[in-house]
Amino acid sequence: MHREPRLDRFNDNVLAKYQVYNSIFLTLPYDDIRKTGALLPLFQELCETGFANNENPSQIVNRFFNKYGEDPTEEEKVDLLFKFIQYIERQVVLFDAIEDASFSIVNNMDGRGTLRSVKEEAEAKQKVEELKQYLKRFNVRPTLTAHPTQFYPGTVLGIITDLDKAIQKNDLVKIKQLLAQLGKTPFFKKEKPTPYDEAVNLIWYFENVFYQSASKIHNYIQQNIFDGEEIGNQVINLGFWPGGDRDGNPFVTTDITLRVAKRLRRTILLNYYRDIRKLKRRLTFREVHELMAEIEKGLYDSAISKSGTIKLPIEDFRSKLFKIKEILNKEHQSLFIDEVDDMLNKINLFGYHFATLDIRQDSSIHQEVLEDLSKLHPDLIPSDYNELDDEKQIEILSNVKGELDPEKMEDGMTKATISSIYAMQEIQEKSGEMGANRYIISNCGSVQGVLQPFAFIRMTGWQKPSVDVIPLFETVPDLQEAHNVMEKLYTNPVYKEHLERRGNKQTIMLGFSDGTKDGGYLMANWSIYKAKEALTKISREYGIMVVFFDGRGGPPARGGGKTHQFYASLGPTIENEEIQLTVQGQTISSNFGTKDSCTYNLEQLLSSGVSNEIFSNGKNVLKDEDRKTMTELAEISYETYMNFKKHPRFIPYLEKMSTLKYYAKTNIGSRPSKRNKSAELNLSDLRAIPFVGSWSQLKQNVPGFFGVGTAMERLEKEGDFDKVKQLYENSEFFRTLLENSMMSLTKSFFPLTAYMKNDEEFGEFWQIIHEEFERTKKMLLKVTGYNVLMQNQPAGRASIQARERIVLPLLTIQQHALRMVQELNKNPENAGEKLETFEKMVTRSLYGNINASRNSA
């Protein structure tokens, strides 16, 4: 059957529907100002023509009121601008719902990168056996994190889900009702959520999406690639950070960690219970029905148990299902046996833990805890520990043992850290080892950084801990030193023995977000690539299977973008037994928010590993000349970015001209926006999310491109542009980097802030950014041969353009409000409530823009 081009499918099924449903939406009478819906399109038109005519946001807003207002008061003007913000937020929700509803039409669910495509390619190339062997050991682990970029409250997520279904059925009556409901449902959170609230919100995705999608994929592989035989491998694991991620979040306590683990356990038990109830209606045969009743009661009693006691041990659950399967085989012509196999597969995938709850803390906190312990327990940690040389410190950390009692400690970081390890033991007892068996160390740069939490674990009486200690290397210097750190650990007798107990497998985390903030886009990605190569080499030398866990954010500047293309491009010099990555914020809802999108994106990740391992035929190996070019580009880019960061206006620009300080006021996440409490802004303490997000709100997206254009232009001026072109043609890794950078440029819109070029303090700084944007755009088009950015992804480009058009009035209002705040701050004593009103306007405008971008932070 003829299939329309993807862009046509997008235009017909997303854009056209949005225009129809948005016209209904704008005519709904939500409030006393009946004209809001009618006025918004007029304001949008003025924004577009205004920026085309070089007007600033305040001029556009004032021109709108002069042209369409009936001599409004200042209060009426402000009220209407807030109404516009509310409308635009809901327009974004509508667009999300339409795009989600059309996902399986716009995206080819059996096309390139899907499991069906992988199977057919393996058959065509006679590599089915290779594929099966690889799938017996290859895993994908998406880890949901609670970073504060998920703005939709649970009530709105429910409306999006219902809208999705109504749009698929084209049920206009239902759609109109839901749009009316949406208009009256608040988006703004008056209080910050607790880490437990965040966990509950994200567990919704496990319960309603991943549970079905992951098992569907597992079943497909088993039935269609393994012909019904057991795979002997989970293939998909789930990870979870809310409630366990303590890094910079003082609100994550041991009690919350235990409550989140209990919630995960209860949720999976209830999911099993619902499935068993359905299956019991089919399995009405003698003997079988009795076993199903026993399973049903055991699951229910376990789920409602206040103490968390498991009434049906997982081994009993599994053995009863095998018994049922045996009876169905022998006596009932295998009737409903596929449904029993599905339940067995789900148990293998999710156990009683559902997802592994990772514990994470910053290495600087571990150092503080160690110093505290040296005072409290000099018998374990000598009081002169800090004065000792590296070798002596390593020896002490390697051999220390004890059984500290956190209840005898004063409240503080030491008690919290030791308690978290006891919590891991308790979770493992109730949910199984997979419940919590990973301890991650942020900002890790030394052997001691890894051995400190390892020592804490052994100080809780856990002599043979079933825990993986995972260093997270983030800054460029730490990435360059990572392989030396790991070699010292591999040769440490005590740590080596620990790795042997853990199957000689070492997980290492690499931070794209902070790496980019530290060293710029090209250098961060190239440093991580080289670090992975060096870590793979040293790990193979010592017989260790290294697994890389990528700390990715949503946008390209934080390792996001087309991640499956990145993994497909890595080549044989980087270990590829598992793909582990963090997924957060709007990226969770945009990539994994529905069963279709979740299935599709999980399959894309699986196929990227398969493609790299089975189908690449070594083509992803970088040649020496290409490596040299890549290194040269990264170094020029790094130098350019570092000089930019050192500019005296860099920090003041973010503080005064961006929305940076307003992130903390949005009440969207429990985590503070900075790691320290000082009033002065320090870039190293600033989290990557508000850093990258603030550039996104300005529509400048600096972290996703700055230095890229200068690097390519330098080689062009030196007569070496052919080398850049050759690198682009030879390296899928480099192509992926540039394509993701193009996404950052496509989401930029400099006319919004063009007024800043005349600013006395920041005019020159704005020009530097704008010139690098134009330079990067020019060089990217030259190296790719494209006429427009993202020319090879027309549907993706159209989606971005549609979303950017929806939020243009919102951004205009935000910039107008920021300008008013700056003006009022010149005489704050006379500003009164006006200043507070416009600051609130800036904060409220953050929501819709971030949601529209889908991967802006």
Side-chain angles (χ1 to χ4, degrees):
M1 189 176 102
H2 175 69
R3 190 174 177 86
E4 288 182 309
R6 190 175 175 192
L7 178 59
D8 291 347
R9 300 197 303 272
F10 175 83
N11 288 335
D12 293 344
N13 294 280
V14 179
L15 276 186
K17 284 185 178 179
Y18 174 74
Q19 286 160 6
V20 171
Y21 298 143
N22 185 47
S23 64
I24 297 171
F25 172 71
L26 289 173
T27 59
L28 293 173
Y30 285 131
D31 46 59
D32 295 333
I33 305 176
R34 296 294 180 98
K35 293 181 180 178
T36 306
L39 289 171
L40 182 54
L42 299 173
F43 180 55
Q44 180 165 24
E45 187 181 338
L46 276 185
C47 291
E48 290 171 1
T49 57
F51 288 122
N53 293 325
N54 300 315
E55 292 181 6
N56 69 46
S58 296
Q59 288 172 326
I60 291 169
V61 169
N62 292 330
R63 190 154 67 88
F64 169 76
F65 284 116
N66 290 336
K67 189 169 184 178
Y68 297 109
E70 296 173 359
D71 204 18
T73 64
E74 285 303 311
E75 189 179 338
E76 287 172 335
K77 288 179 183 179
V78 166
D79 195 27
L80 182 60
L81 292 177
F82 273 112
K83 294 297 181 190
F84 280 168
I85 291 171
Q86 292 173 330
Y87 263 68
I88 295 163
E89 284 172 344
R90 287 152 179 80
Q91 284 179 312
V92 172
V93 170
L94 175 60
F95 195 88
D96 282 349
I98 294 169
E99 203 161 39
D100 287 345
S102 307
F103 188 91
S104 60
I105 300 170
V106 175
N107 298 277
N108 186 351
M109 301 299 283
D110 293 321
R112 186 171 177 78
T114 63
L115 284 174
R116 179 173 174 176
S117 167
V118 165
K119 175 179 174 282
E120 289 173 354
E121 187 172 356
E123 287 170 345
K125 294 180 177 178
Q126 298 184 326
K127 291 192 171 187
V128 173
E129 199 53 43
E130 275 185 67
L131 174 62
K132 287 167 76 171
Q133 290 305 313
Y134 186 56
L135 288 173
K136 284 181 180 178
R137 64 180 196 271
F138 178 63
N139 286 291
V140 165
R141 183 198 292 254
T143 296
L144 304 195
T145 77
H147 292 319
T149 54
Q150 178 51 271
F151 282 69
Y152 294 144
T155 49
V156 175
L157 286 172
I159 295 170
I160 292 175
T161 302
D162 294 341
L163 260 176
D164 178 338
K165 292 174 185 172
I167 289 165
Q168 286 186 44
K169 295 175 183 175
N170 203 25
D171 185 342
L172 286 174
V173 174
K174 186 73 172 174
I175 290 166
K176 193 170 181 178
Q177 285 179 334
L178 289 166
L179 290 175
Q181 180 190 354
L182 188 66
K184 294 178 179 292
T185 301
F187 278 40
F188 189 70
K189 298 173 183 176
K190 292 182 179 178
E191 295 179 0
K192 287 178 80 69
T194 67
Y196 184 73
D197 295 332
E198 291 173 327
V200 170
N201 286 339
L202 290 186
I203 288 170
W204 183 93
Y205 290 98
F206 284 155
E207 181 180 6
N208 295 285
V209 183
F210 281 90
Y211 180 73
Q212 300 295 343
S213 295
S215 58
K216 179 182 176 183
I217 289 169
H218 192 279
N219 292 346
Y220 181 91
I221 292 171
Q222 187 176 39
Q223 295 303 320
N224 294 281
I225 297 175
F226 284 80
D227 299 319
E229 295 175 18
E230 288 290 325
I231 303 171
N233 179 31
Q234 282 180 267
V235 183
I236 295 171
N237 302 310
L238 301 177
F240 203 60
W241 276 14
D245 182 8
R246 287 159 164 72
D247 177 16
N249 194 340
F251 308 112
V252 176
T253 63
T254 301
D255 177 62
I256 280 178
T257 300
L258 291 170
R259 284 175 65 201
V260 169
K262 184 178 179 181
R263 181 67 179 237
L264 283 164
R265 184 168 60 248
R266 184 172 180 270
T267 304
I268 191 61
L269 286 166
L270 287 173
N271 272 28
Y272 290 156
Y273 173 71
R274 283 191 287 266
D275 280 0
I276 288 294
R277 292 259 304 174
K278 289 178 193 169
L279 187 53
K280 188 184 168 198
R281 291 176 64 130
R282 304 281 78 82
L283 299 180
T284 51
F285 322 128
R286 191 177 290 115
E287 287 188 77
V288 172
H289 193 69
E290 289 76 7
L291 285 168
M292 289 295 290
E294 289 173 21
I295 292 172
E296 181 187 12
K297 185 177 187 307
L299 289 171
Y300 181 77
D301 290 345
S302 300
I304 66 168
S305 169
K306 289 184 178 178
S307 65
T309 306
I310 296 295
K311 308 292 184 180
L312 176 69
I314 200 161
E315 296 78 14
D316 290 358
F317 187 8
R318 195 179 276 114
S319 66
K320 280 181 167 65
L321 286 174
F322 274 120
K323 180 69 175 172
I324 289 167
K325 190 175 173 181
E326 189 182 323
I327 295 168
L328 294 177
N329 258 325
K330 282 185 179 179
E331 301 176 23
H332 302 289
Q333 294 78 46
S334 299
L335 199 58
F336 302 118
I337 206 160
D338 286 347
E339 286 83 348
V340 177
D341 278 334
D342 178 52
M343 280 306 307
L344 284 165
N345 285 340
K346 283 173 178 169
I347 296 171
N348 290 335
L349 280 170
F350 310 118
Y352 278 170
H353 63 284
F354 211 161
T356 301
L357 182 60
D358 290 344
I359 305 297
R360 183 171 80 129
Q361 185 55 281
D362 192 88
S363 60
S364 63
I365 299 297
H366 294 148
Q367 181 61 34
E368 289 176 22
V369 171
L370 198 71
E371 288 172 10
D372 195 32
L373 287 174
S374 71
K375 296 170 189 170
L376 294 170
H377 295 279
D379 53 318
L380 296 176
I381 305 294
S383 53
D384 64 345
Y385 171 85
N386 282 336
E387 281 73 59
L388 302 173
D389 61 31
D390 287 352
E391 283 188 26
K392 191 63 182 170
Q393 286 184 354
I394 289 168
E395 184 186 341
I396 290 166
L397 293 173
S398 301
N399 295 298
V400 67
K401 293 179 183 178
E403 197 159 347
L404 299 172
D405 184 356
E407 295 306 314
K408 293 179 180 177
M409 299 174 181
E410 290 183 14
D411 286 342
M413 206 48 81
T414 302
K415 180 177 181 178
T417 301
I418 301 302
S419 295
S420 71
I421 295 164
Y422 280 107
M424 293 178 82
Q425 295 179 44
E426 185 177 333
I427 293 166
Q428 287 196 13
E429 285 169 17
K430 292 180 177 176
S431 302
E433 189 204 303
M434 289 287 285
N437 65 352
R438 290 149 56 99
Y439 195 110
I440 299 164
I441 311 127
S442 302
N443 283 305
C444 187
S446 66
V447 177
Q448 289 96 317
V450 180
L451 289 179
Q452 284 167 359
F454 181 62
F456 301 154
I457 289 166
R458 286 154 57 87
M459 283 189 228
T460 62
W462 213 353
Q463 298 309 322
K464 293 183 178 178
S466 47
V467 177
D468 296 321
V469 182
I470 302 173
L472 166 50
F473 300 105
E474 299 181 80
T475 66
V476 171
D478 285 348
L479 288 164
Q480 292 168 346
E481 184 64 19
H483 64 288
N484 293 324
V485 170
M486 295 315 300
E487 183 172 22
K488 288 173 186 171
L489 287 164
Y490 293 157
T491 55
N492 179 298
V494 179
Y495 194 78
K496 183 182 176 186
E497 183 188 339
H498 169 71
L499 283 179
E500 285 171 358
R501 287 197 306 273
R502 303 298 294 160
N504 279 323
K505 178 177 165 182
Q506 173 69 56
T507 302
I508 297 172
M509 194 170 177
L510 302 151
F512 284 78
S513 300
D514 282 289
T516 303
K517 179 166 74 81
D518 178 58
Y521 181 68
L522 277 186
M523 179 56 90
N525 281 278
W526 183 230
S527 295
I528 288 170
Y529 186 95
K530 289 195 295 181
K532 283 185 175 183
E533 285 190 320
L535 288 163
T536 297
K537 185 173 183 289
I538 202 71
S539 299
R540 286 172 178 172
E541 284 176 17
Y542 286 95
I544 304 296
M545 170 59 67
V546 67
V547 172
F548 296 115
F549 178 18
D550 291 336
R552 294 180 175 276
R558 298 186 56 232
K562 299 289 183 182
T563 49
H564 54 276
Q565 290 179 1
F566 175 86
Y567 288 114
S569 73
L570 294 179
T573 57
I574 292 174
E575 202 66 79
N576 190 38
E577 292 298 293
E578 294 188 27
I579 289 176
Q580 298 191 13
L581 72 164
T582 54
V583 188
Q584 62 196 36
Q586 332 92 298
T587 314
I588 298 172
S589 52
S590 61
N591 288 359
F592 302 97
T594 66
K595 289 170 191 172
D596 281 341
S597 64
C598 184
T599 302
Y600 181 83
N601 283 298
L602 284 175
E603 287 191 16
Q604 291 289 322
L605 285 172
L606 275 167
S607 71
S608 66
V610 170
S611 174
N612 186 33
E613 181 77 13
I614 309 295
F615 303 138
S616 69
N617 298 320
K619 67 181 179 183
N620 290 329
V621 178
L622 273 172
K623 297 173 183 174
D624 288 345
E625 190 178 352
D626 289 334
R627 294 181 75 87
K628 189 179 174 186
T629 305
M630 185 69 220
T631 299
E632 198 172 348
L633 287 169
E635 286 175 352
I636 297 167
S637 175
Y638 180 64
E639 178 192 354
T640 306
Y641 179 74
M642 293 305 284
N643 287 336
F644 176 63
K645 273 206 314 184
K646 289 173 188 171
H647 194 288
R649 293 289 172 267
F650 186 89
I651 295 292
Y653 184 78
L654 283 174
E655 284 186 303
K656 294 180 183 179
M657 307 301 278
S658 84
T659 58
L660 180 64
K661 71 177 183 178
Y662 297 94
Y663 266 78
K665 299 179 182 181
T666 54
N667 292 334
I668 52 166
S670 65
R671 183 193 305 273
S673 59
K674 294 196 298 178
R675 283 188 170 91
N676 69 1
K677 295 179 181 177
S678 69
E680 188 178 335
L681 180 62
N682 185 313
L683 191 60
S684 61
D685 290 321
L686 181 64
R687 293 197 164 277
I689 288 170
F691 174 73
V692 174
S694 296
W695 290 113
S696 173
Q697 294 283 328
L698 284 166
K699 287 296 156 190
Q700 294 176 356
N701 289 322
V702 161
F705 71 82
F706 203 92
V708 176
T710 295
M712 288 196 282
E713 187 182 71
R714 177 90 59 88
L715 265 64
E716 181 191 42
K717 286 177 179 176
E718 292 171 359
D720 287 334
F721 193 75
D722 284 349
K723 291 180 180 178
V724 181
K725 190 79 175 170
Q726 180 182 302
L727 174 64
Y728 178 78
E729 288 167 358
N730 290 348
S731 169
E732 193 172 341
F733 168 74
F734 185 59
R735 283 199 301 278
T736 302
L737 284 186
L738 296 195
E739 284 183 14
N740 282 339
S741 190
M742 275 193 271
M743 186 188 292
S744 293
L745 295 176
T746 304
K747 291 185 176 184
S748 298
F749 183 66
F750 276 84
L752 179 72
T753 56
Y755 69 89
M756 294 182 189
K757 67 185 172 188
N758 300 316
D759 187 271
E760 195 174 312
E761 185 179 359
F762 296 108
E764 181 210 343
F765 189 75
W766 185 91
Q767 288 283 17
I768 291 170
I769 300 168
H770 183 241
E771 284 167 12
E772 183 63 15
F773 167 82
E774 293 293 348
R775 186 181 295 116
T776 303
K777 180 181 176 181
K778 176 188 167 189
M779 299 313 298
L780 284 174
L781 293 177
K782 181 169 183 177
V783 76
T784 58
Y786 296 165
N787 296 315
V788 293
L789 296 170
M790 293 181 70
Q791 186 174 313
N792 64 329
Q793 299 171 52
R797 187 167 178 269
S799 177
I800 289 170
Q801 288 174 333
R803 290 173 175 278
E804 295 298 323
R805 186 167 187 268
I806 291 169
V807 295
L808 184 60
L810 184 68
L811 291 162
T812 307
I813 293 168
Q814 183 185 87
Q815 282 296 318
H816 167 64
L818 277 169
R819 285 168 58 86
M820 293 300 295
V821 168
Q822 290 157 15
E823 192 62 35
L824 291 165
N825 270 326
K826 290 175 182 176
N827 294 293
E829 62 279 357
N830 299 323
E833 290 182 6
K834 227 175 171 186
L835 179 60
E836 188 181 332
T837 298
F838 281 107
E839 286 194 322
K840 183 183 175 185
M841 193 177 286
V842 175
T843 304
R844 288 289 285 110
S845 64
L846 289 168
Y847 290 68
N849 185 35
I850 285 196
N851 284 329
S853 296
R854 289 211 140 182
N855 67 350
S856 62

